[in-house]
Amino acid sequence: MHDAYYMTEERELIAQSARDFAENYIRPLADKIDKEDYFATELYKRAGELGFCDLHVPEEYGGNDLSLTDHMIIVEEMARVSPGFAMTFVADISICETLLVDLGTPEQKERWLPGMVKGEIIASHCTVEPCGLGNMEAYTGRAVPADGGWVLNATKSWSTNVGAAQLNIVKAWTDTPGEFSYFLVPLDSEGVLVSPPEDKVGWRGSNTGEVVFKDVFVPNSDVLGPIGKSVDLGIQSVFNEMIGTGSVALGITEESNAITQRYISTRMHNSGVPFPFRYDVMRVRFAENMAREDAIRGMAYPAALAYDAGARNMDRAFLIKAYCFEMAERVASTNIELCGGVGTVRGTGLERLWRDAKMGLIGGGQRDYLYSMAGAIRLSGRG
């Protein structure tokens, strides 16, 4: 639904173009993406041709400097059709592309950004280790100085886009504890070992898996940002990802509600009226889902507009990721129940949307962890 206050004539055109792309190119592959856990590289290339693989990329590197709000409008349309593809797109564009835009040298940007904008180069964000996202002090991945560069040893779990990415952006300790740095590691670098993707319940087609970096030499020219300070300076990518996932949750909710509305409004009771007009509770529960859809939109897009205007509220970014997927999962679960046995059938798409919403409560930061972080930031007065 794009009749909201944040829409402009230009954004209406972006939305229509994204909707056409989703319906004509993503939907025919949506079942294949989910059933086969298929990473659709051809969709990336088409998205690049349409100018979608762009977030704040300057024109000199092939971009159109799309805003976060523009990006979310595109992702929302993708997520209605395939949340798995939408999430792999968010991981690549919101995180990796942003890190290069914000921290890259002119040479690094020239090498990687034009290909990313065209959808020809996909990147993987390698940050989490087996001990978990919330336990960074226990991370063992480390880069030590060497002649002309660094030697990197790390095992990264739940890395995005594994098996398809040509570039890994790796976070590792440098020098003393408390100082993380980013390193650009091409997939074909000696010592990079990529595992098969995890067989996840949701976000199918958005490959996540383990990447091992064993005695990988990284030249100084591939250090991303200043040593020991790049993670703090690259915080924009966290805002983009957390706020951007709100549009994935919204797309899931919109599609789930639309499928359910079509089905229950035409399913006839033996009294001769549609089921919702026979049972009040069905109308109430569907209306609650309508409210949750509006709540997600009302939380995500104002945050994107504020971000585009220069606001940086980390507590709100964490809340969006946690709350929006919590609402999306409730919507998807309720809609399965409203549709009865039909809601459990794969062909309807409802159970797939529920699995993707459930994955959103865990992937990229578990719900309770994010709520805890948001609460800590706000209570400390740093929100």
Side-chain angles (χ1 to χ4, degrees):
M1 187 175 87
H2 288 298
D3 58 352
Y5 68 93
Y6 52 82
M7 295 302 292
T8 61
E9 184 175 345
E10 182 179 358
R11 285 176 177 157
E12 290 287 358
L13 293 174
I14 291 173
Q16 185 60 58
S17 180
R19 189 176 304 118
D20 291 343
F21 169 66
E23 293 296 333
N24 296 328
Y25 291 90
I26 303 179
R27 193 175 290 280
L29 288 173
D31 284 342
K32 178 182 177 70
I33 290 170
D34 183 64
K35 291 177 182 178
E36 300 178 18
D37 207 7
Y38 174 67
F39 195 102
T41 53
E42 67 270 38
L43 293 181
Y44 258 96
K45 293 179 180 178
R46 181 58 180 162
E49 292 170 1
L50 293 168
F52 295 157
C53 300
D54 174 17
L55 181 57
H56 302 307
V57 178
E59 185 177 347
E60 63 187 295
Y61 300 112
N64 295 305
D65 197 18
L66 292 184
S67 69
L68 180 57
T69 303
D70 299 333
H71 170 74
M72 286 174 59
I73 289 169
I74 295 167
V75 171
E76 179 186 342
E77 295 297 337
M78 293 178 176
R80 290 181 62 253
V81 177
S82 175
F85 179 77
M87 278 308 308
T88 204
F89 191 83
V90 168
D92 183 37
I93 305 302
S94 296
I95 302 175
C96 299
E97 195 173 80
T98 298
L99 287 171
L100 277 161
V101 169
D102 289 348
L103 299 177
T105 64
E107 292 76 17
Q108 290 169 344
K109 293 177 182 179
E110 184 61 41
R111 180 181 180 185
W112 297 108
L113 285 178
M116 294 181 74
V117 169
K118 292 177 183 177
E120 297 172 351
I121 293 176
I122 299 170
S124 174
H125 187 227
C126 303
T127 180
V128 180
E129 298 195 4
C131 59
L133 177 64
N135 196 23
M136 291 187 186
E137 292 182 359
Y139 283 14
T140 59
R142 189 172 187 85
V144 297
D147 186 23
W150 301 75
V151 174
L152 172 66
N153 281 280
T155 297
K156 296 297 181 176
S157 302
W158 305 108
S159 298
T160 56
N161 302 341
V162 295
Q166 298 93 331
L167 172 66
N168 300 287
I169 300 182
V170 189
K171 182 168 76 172
W173 289 118
T174 47
D175 299 325
T176 61
E179 294 183 354
F180 281 114
S181 300
Y182 280 122
F183 298 88
L184 300 174
V185 183
L187 178 63
D188 59 3
S189 300
E190 185 177 354
V192 179
L193 306 173
V194 180
S195 73
E198 301 287 353
D199 189 11
K200 307 187 302 298
V201 67
W203 293 1
R204 310 275 293 171
S206 176
N207 294 358
T208 49
E210 184 175 88
V211 185
V212 177
F213 303 89
K214 184 174 176 57
D215 294 327
V216 177
F217 177 74
V218 183
N220 286 325
S221 59
D222 284 340
V223 175
L224 183 61
I227 289 293
K229 297 181 175 61
S230 57
V231 174
D232 290 337
L233 293 174
I235 200 68
Q236 311 290 358
S237 66
V238 177
F239 284 102
N240 288 343
E241 180 201 15
M242 293 293 177
I243 297 173
T245 57
S247 59
V248 179
L250 180 57
I252 290 172
T253 302
E254 288 175 323
E255 185 74 358
S256 180
N257 279 342
I259 293 170
T260 301
Q261 180 179 347
R262 287 194 297 268
Y263 179 69
I264 66 174
S265 63
T266 57
R267 186 185 180 201
M268 301 302 292
H269 187 266
N270 57 20
S271 64
V273 298
F275 265 75
F277 296 97
R278 174 71 178 179
Y279 301 108
D280 289 350
V281 66
M282 293 185 72
R283 298 199 300 274
V284 171
R285 296 185 74 187
F286 186 74
E288 289 174 338
N289 279 353
M290 292 166 56
R292 290 177 181 127
E293 180 181 321
D294 283 348
I296 295 172
R297 181 180 294 103
M299 190 171 192
Y301 276 105
L305 290 166
Y307 176 90
D308 290 334
R312 301 293 183 266
N313 302 111
M314 183 61 77
D315 53 341
R316 179 55 58 87
F318 283 140
L319 285 175
I320 287 170
K321 168 68 168 62
Y323 179 81
C324 290
F325 271 113
E326 182 176 5
M327 292 299 101
E329 194 276 334
R330 288 190 188 182
V331 167
S333 178
T334 297
N335 282 337
I336 287 175
E337 295 172 7
L338 286 174
C339 291
V342 169
T344 68
V345 176
R346 284 184 179 271
T348 65
L350 285 173
E351 60 82 33
R352 173 167 60 88
L353 292 166
W354 175 76
R355 287 187 284 108
D356 287 328
K358 175 61 76 173
M359 190 69 198
L361 296 176
I362 300 167
Q366 192 265 352
R367 173 186 55 189
D368 290 344
Y369 168 75
L370 296 177
Y371 274 135
S372 175
M373 291 295 293
I377 293 169
R378 183 67 63 87
L379 290 169
S380 68
R382 294 183 286 114

